[in-house]
Amino acid sequence: MSMQNDDYLDGNAAAGELSNIFAMDVTAAEGQCAHCGATKRFAEAHLYTQCPGFVARCAACQHVLLRLVKARQRMFLDMRGMTCLTLDTSQLQEST
Ligand SMILES: [Zn+2]
């Protein structure tokens, strides 16, 4: 977890929480921003954690890519800010 300034972390900070949802490492995946079309690794996103969960924003345009909200026994995942998430399946073969 690397702190880039006082406001946000990088996308790697979301790895632990996202590993509860996804079997694959989403921080290593590439996501395409629905707003500006930039395709970047999720790890490059700007992660804001001043909420019960986190908000990941596009490093290029600051549009919201992904929101995760935790409330009691539920977790809400909003991924409409990404038109496409590309995962490297070679990591699946490593784990078998
Ligand atoms: Zn963008």
Side-chain angles (χ1 to χ4, degrees):
M1 186 181 295
S2 65
M3 189 74 82
Q4 292 175 331
N5 66 28
D6 292 337
D7 295 318
Y8 63 85
L9 305 169
D10 70 36
N12 287 310
E17 203 66 71
L18 292 175
S19 71
N20 292 325
I21 303 167
F22 296 100
M24 294 176 68
D25 181 8
V26 174
T27 62
E30 287 193 329
Q32 183 176 30
C33 175
H35 186 69
C36 74
T39 300
K40 290 177 175 294
R41 287 183 64 218
F42 187 78
E44 296 179 63
H46 295 178
L47 198 74
Y48 295 83
T49 56
Q50 296 90 340
C51 53
F54 57 76
V55 175
R57 290 180 177 272
C58 175
C61 76
Q62 297 298 306
H63 189 76
V64 174
L65 296 173
L66 181 151
R67 285 191 303 150
L68 186 149
V69 177
K70 290 161 72 177
R72 298 171 185 244
Q73 303 298 312
R74 289 174 192 269
M75 202 183 276
F76 300 89
L77 186 63
D78 175 354
M79 296 183 69
R80 68 189 144 170
M82 278 191 281
T83 47
C84 187
L85 188 64
T86 308
L87 296 133
D88 179 3
T89 56
S90 67
Q91 63 178 284
L92 289 179
Q93 286 149 11
E94 286 169 23
S95 61
T96 53

